[in-house]
Amino acid sequence: MSANQVFERGDRVGIYLQDKHSLEENVELVQYAEEQGIDEIWQAESRLARDAVSPLGAYAAVTDDIKLGTGVINNWTRNAALIAQSMSTLEELAGPDRIMCGIGAWWDPLAEKVGIDRSGALRAMRECVEVTQDLLDMENVTYDGEFVQMRDVELDVVHGDGGPRTVPVYVGGTGFKMLELTGHFADGALLNYLVSPEYNEKALDALETGAERGGRSLDDIDRPQLVVCSMDHDEEKALDNARELITQYLGQQPHIMKASGVSQDLIDEVGETIGGWPADKDDIKEGMHLIPDDVVHKLTASGTPEQCREKVREYAETGCQCPILYPLGDDRRLMIDEFADGYL
């Protein structure tokens, strides 16, 4: 493990923010989450809607203690030097021990449509993370990889003491080979959402295999997890709010489809209905009718507050160390209030 900090393990809870609400609303929500004792905020970089780094700068400027992570940036459009530079800048804004760097392998067809060939994703991720870790440790890096080449490179920090950055590097992996690799060399694994607790058991096996290969144990790898949480006192309303997201992901993102545990027949039917990425809103609404309630319950924490808490406990019991809740309900503060004191 690098010289970066290790987070306390236990009853941590985080919030996951995407692009459904305005940035102004998200900034206010982050401040409220910190006031209520929420531990972490992870900012998505989904599709081509918002980048993850810019909002984190805004959150860092108006908060004091809550931890802030990229959930996730990709290793194809930013090279390792730029990633390390961005994380170092965020630490300068936020202070030490607050920034977390989550990196993912991106997804097709989006990557292919902007000219990125993701062949060799495992090696590319390893090279990117290794160099990013070294740069954040303020090392001078020369690296001759297949995807990453650096010669006499280091962070040129002018302000401050120039010591190692306190930024752990997480891999946002879904496939089991990527998780094995994560267990071998990364500081943490940001587990994905729209999977079942049964998926987590297999994911932990992969992480442990990789950890043992790297002379480590599973306990050396922090394991936050994105969890879709659609909460409402009206259970049916909560389920419908989650159904739209499930439809979109099952029909457009192959890595989620494969890991979800949903039948291939249903995935194929949803994909045919919405027509791939980018999907028309009307087609998504049509596809929603194909998603039964049991699939919503299988892949998300949806329903009444108690139903949501119970489902989150299932993820915790199968290896998640910090649920990062993606609030789909109309009242995001209700979800924060319900989880502010933990979930165990």
Side-chain angles (χ1 to χ4, degrees), residues 79-80 123-124 127-129 131 143-150:
N79 70 23
R123 179 178 290 275
E127 292 180 6
C128 177
V129 171
V131 171
Y143 192 97
D144 185 20
E146 181 179 343
F147 295 90
V148 178
Q149 293 85 37
M150 298 279 165

Side-chain angles (χ1 to χ4, degrees), residues 58-120:
Y59 307 156
V62 298
T63 56
D64 297 314
D65 300 306
I66 198 166
K67 297 182 188 298
L68 306 168
T70 54
V72 291
I73 57 177
N74 75 79
N75 63 309
W76 297 102
T77 58
R78 293 180 179 89
N79 70 23
L82 178 58
I83 291 173
Q85 179 186 34
S86 297
M87 296 305 112
S88 180
T89 304
L90 285 172
E91 178 164 300
E92 186 177 355
L93 276 168
D97 298 315
R98 292 189 60 199
I99 300 302
M100 304 169 291
C101 177
I103 304 175
W106 225 14
W107 55 278
D108 287 312
L110 174 54
E112 180 270 330
K113 289 190 176 208
V114 300
I116 300 295
D117 178 2
R118 295 171 61 250
S119 300

Side-chain angles (χ1 to χ4, degrees), residues 48-226:
L48 292 178
R50 280 187 192 140
D51 79 289
V53 176
S54 302
L56 290 185
Y59 307 156
V62 298
T63 56
D64 297 314
D65 300 306
I66 198 166
K67 297 182 188 298
L68 306 168
T70 54
V72 291
I73 57 177
N74 75 79
N75 63 309
W76 297 102
T77 58
R78 293 180 179 89
N79 70 23
L82 178 58
I83 291 173
Q85 179 186 34
S86 297
M87 296 305 112
S88 180
T89 304
L90 285 172
E91 178 164 300
E92 186 177 355
L93 276 168
D97 298 315
R98 292 189 60 199
I99 300 302
M100 304 169 291
C101 177
I103 304 175
W106 225 14
W107 55 278
D108 287 312
L110 174 54
E112 180 270 330
K113 289 190 176 208
V114 300
I116 300 295
D117 178 2
R118 295 171 61 250
S119 300
L122 293 173
R123 179 178 290 275
M125 178 62 72
R126 174 162 188 161
E127 292 180 6
C128 177
V129 171
E130 286 181 336
V131 171
T132 300
Q133 288 173 323
D134 288 345
L135 289 170
L136 289 169
D137 284 341
M138 304 307 287
E139 296 180 13
N140 183 284
V141 177
T142 294
Y143 192 97
D144 185 20
E146 181 179 343
F147 295 90
V148 178
Q149 293 85 37
M150 298 279 165
R151 182 171 60 84
D152 191 26
V153 175
E154 61 187 51
L155 290 181
D156 186 15
V157 174
V158 175
H159 297 284
D161 62 10
R165 308 293 92 170
T166 59
V167 181
V169 179
Y170 293 73
V171 173
T174 305
F176 298 126
K177 290 187 180 297
M178 185 65 78
L179 288 169
E180 280 190 29
L181 193 67
T182 300
H184 192 181
F185 71 97
D187 297 319
L190 180 59
L191 299 171
N192 217 338
Y193 56 13
L194 296 181
V195 297
S196 68
E198 290 75 22
Y199 162 88
N200 278 13
E201 295 173 353
K202 297 177 182 178
L204 256 64
D205 287 341
L207 285 171
E208 188 168 30
T209 297
E212 290 174 353
R213 188 180 304 135
R216 305 196 294 168
S217 74
L218 187 61
D219 290 338
D220 293 320
I221 306 157
D222 193 27
R223 302 186 302 275
Q225 180 168 24
L226 307 180

